[in-house]
Amino acid sequence: MRDQAEELRLKMLKGQGRLAKSIAIVSGKGGVGKSNFSTNFAYSLQLKGKKVIVVDMDLGMGNIHILLGVTPRYSLKDYLLGEQSLDAVLNRDMHGLAFISGGSGLDTILDWTEPMFERLLLAFERLQQDYDVILFDMGAGATQRSIDLIVAVDEVIVISTTEPTSITDAYSMMKFICLQDADKKFSIVTNRVSKGQDGNESATRLQYAMKKFLAKETTLLGFLPEDAVVHKSVIAQKPFILEYPNALISKRLLAIADMYVTDNQLEPIEKTKFIQKLKGIFLKGRD
């Protein structure tokens, strides 16, 4: 029965032809502004005409819905447990950005069960058909569940600050992912750069370390300055890129989005190994 379901799934994906690009936003540690980047980067792509959805993968501790000023009735956890449909957990904020909340309350799911994983696959397959870009906002640090998803996605954007511990943790995360998938495409953004600092220095160090020790090329997307409008936007639960479009950080983020779209030709793609890789990883873990 499972083989028939898989065959039907692959036929459905093949027939669709155009699929969303899956991108994981990661950091080596918390407190680097990763979720804020995820939401505002999603808006910047939406401003460029891309159909984007943000999926908060920090189950039980997610804060994407807080940053967007929305109190969803249900979260991804409710869907995975079979308590709600995918439509019930799909949300939009006042600006039309689609997202799925990871939920809050610290009651995290410790491991995927087979029924939960099947539901996860079905959800991701539908999202790949309905959107141009799926942004996965991953929890800080690494768990086996999060690493499985990161290894499966098409691309990874790594967020770091200029602090030495943040740089070290970001490198460790990238190294761990790279050792499991040497072909993974990485892009780097340095966040919260203080006035007078060289915003590209930290990212260049990361790039150099990846090339020297892992023979891995990475892309530097740019840096974002420390800016008071970010704090104001978090308090107001509104995106700074829309609330303060003339702020330096907003202009820098739009430049990063321009570079990303240009370099990646960010359109729906005809082929992606995302679902197949995710399924393979899950089945391997069950051997």
Side-chain angles (χ1 to χ4, degrees), residues 28 166-178 206 210:
S166 179
I167 298 170
T168 300
D169 288 342
Y171 172 74
S172 297
M173 172 68 83
M174 295 167 73
K175 177 181 178 181
F176 190 69
I177 297 168
C178 189
L206 267 178
M210 291 294 290

Side-chain angles (χ1 to χ4, degrees), residues 40-228:
N40 282 276
F41 184 61
Y43 280 115
S44 69
L45 295 178
Q46 189 168 270
L47 288 172
K48 296 180 181 302
K50 307 303 177 186
K51 195 174 182 182
V52 185
I53 185 168
V54 181
V55 181
D56 192 339
M57 292 302 299
D58 198 356
L59 272 65
M61 300 178 66
N63 58 14
I64 290 293
H65 64 288
I66 298 173
L67 294 173
L68 296 177
V70 179
T71 305
R73 294 183 63 187
Y74 306 112
S75 67
L76 180 60
K77 183 188 72 173
D78 297 309
Y79 169 75
L80 292 177
L81 293 175
E83 297 174 356
Q84 297 296 331
S85 67
L86 182 58
D87 286 329
V89 301
L90 281 169
N91 303 277
R92 289 188 183 275
D93 74 343
M94 63 182 296
H95 302 289
L97 179 65
F99 74 98
I100 297 177
S101 171
S104 58
L106 304 182
D107 49 349
T108 56
I109 297 173
L110 297 178
D111 195 14
W112 306 123
T113 63
E114 188 164 348
M116 288 165 57
F117 191 78
E118 285 294 329
R119 290 179 66 80
L120 195 71
L121 285 178
L122 288 172
F124 290 168
E125 286 163 359
R126 177 175 158 189
L127 297 182
Q128 278 204 303
Q129 297 166 24
D130 292 347
Y131 294 90
D132 300 327
V133 182
I134 308 172
L135 292 181
F136 293 103
D137 185 66
M138 307 304 300
T143 65
Q144 189 55 55
R145 185 177 66 217
S146 65
I147 290 297
D148 286 348
L149 179 60
I150 294 169
V151 170
V153 297
D154 298 314
E155 300 179 13
V156 175
I157 297 179
V158 181
I159 311 300
S160 177
T161 69
T162 58
E163 296 178 2
T165 54
S166 179
I167 298 170
T168 300
D169 288 342
Y171 172 74
S172 297
M173 172 68 83
M174 295 167 73
K175 177 181 178 181
F176 190 69
I177 297 168
C178 189
L179 290 176
Q180 297 193 52
D181 182 359
D183 296 326
K184 184 64 64 192
K185 183 174 182 178
F186 291 98
S187 297
I188 302 171
V189 174
T190 308
N191 195 25
R192 303 179 63 179
V193 177
S194 300
K195 186 176 182 180
Q197 283 186 307
D198 183 351
N200 288 321
E201 181 182 0
S202 300
T204 301
R205 287 164 59 190
L206 267 178
Q207 186 181 48
Y208 175 77
M210 291 294 290
K211 185 173 183 179
K212 179 178 180 180
F213 299 112
L214 298 171
K216 180 66 179 178
E217 296 288 347
T218 56
T219 299
L220 303 186
L221 288 179
F223 67 92
L224 298 173
E226 187 78 68
D227 198 318

